[in-house]
Amino acid sequence: MNTDLVTYYRDRAAEYEQVFAKSERRRDLARLKAILQDIFRDKHLLEIACGTGYWTERIAQTAGSILATDINQTVLDLAAGKNYPKINAAFRLEDVLQHPDDDQQFEGLFGGFIWSHILQEQLNTFLANAARRVLPGGVLVFVDNRFVAGNSLPVSHTDAAGNTWQTRYLEDGSEHLVLKNFPTQAFLLEKLEGVAGVEQVDFFELEYYWMAVGRMG
């Protein structure tokens, strides 16, 4: 069984966006798209862990510009091949847990479905690094899955730190143990409100997803 997250998403790249085709999630996805396009309208932003560019393509419709990054070149190539009529999207290989090569700051940062893949013990460092890349007055935005019984894959393993994993299978039959944490609203607010520079946190809970918006002072 594979336990490496980078390998999993590399091998899943071609089938990844099937998750957004689930009919019961369409209403939530439409609402998220509208909120994100409004939040990032005309802003110059950084997207971390952009994956195959599903959200990059949608946010770029209203953003001033977007630098989309990921640790995986396979998914970056797919993201770069999407339709960007404003020609305002650029792509770069980057690890969210490493300090970037430059000190560039942005008016907004978006992390879609990355929070759940960060170990609990690495969250403080991850959030501090993310916040340092946002200008004063900017926004720090995260979106991820809620655990919905009967719809979400069951948790198959929990460690001593409270991290949870799901057992997943790809179309090629390969088996993967994937880190997937499902934080409570209280935990999310505690973590974001404790980040240096974050002045206010707004939380949105949909049926299948949550969104947290940290506003920088």
Side-chain angles (χ1 to χ4, degrees), residues 16-31:
Y16 172 73
E17 293 192 13
Q18 293 174 12
V19 70
F20 296 120
K22 294 184 176 183
S23 59
E24 71 275 14
R25 302 189 181 196
R26 288 176 186 165
R27 180 178 296 179
D28 277 9
L29 291 170
R31 186 175 176 196

Side-chain angles (χ1 to χ4, degrees), residues 78-188:
L78 289 173
K82 296 289 178 66
N83 182 33
Y84 303 100
K86 293 173 66 176
I87 319 179
N88 62 345
F91 300 86
R92 187 167 74 193
L93 198 66
E94 188 174 288
D95 183 348
V96 296
L97 295 177
Q98 300 296 323
H99 193 278
D101 294 332
D102 59 62
D103 294 322
Q104 184 179 4
Q105 290 184 298
F106 302 82
E107 295 172 298
L109 181 145
F110 175 63
F113 304 88
I114 180 61
W115 184 301
S116 57
H117 293 315
I118 303 297
L119 290 166
Q120 307 275 28
E121 53 269 37
Q122 295 178 326
L123 261 178
N124 289 342
T125 298
F126 165 73
L127 291 172
N129 286 342
R132 279 197 291 268
R133 307 188 74 178
V134 182
L135 290 163
V139 290
L140 183 65
V141 182
F142 294 100
V143 169
D144 220 309
N145 297 92
R146 295 183 59 222
F147 184 83
V148 180
N151 190 277
S152 303
L153 287 174
V155 169
S156 55
H157 174 69
T158 304
D159 70 11
N163 295 294
T164 55
W165 279 261
Q166 297 172 323
T167 300
R168 299 183 183 181
Y169 298 88
L170 297 181
E171 291 177 351
D172 63 6
S174 59
E175 184 178 3
H176 303 259
L177 188 64
V178 178
L179 173 67
K180 187 70 175 178
N181 286 320
F182 296 95
T184 64
Q185 178 178 345
F187 180 82
L188 285 160

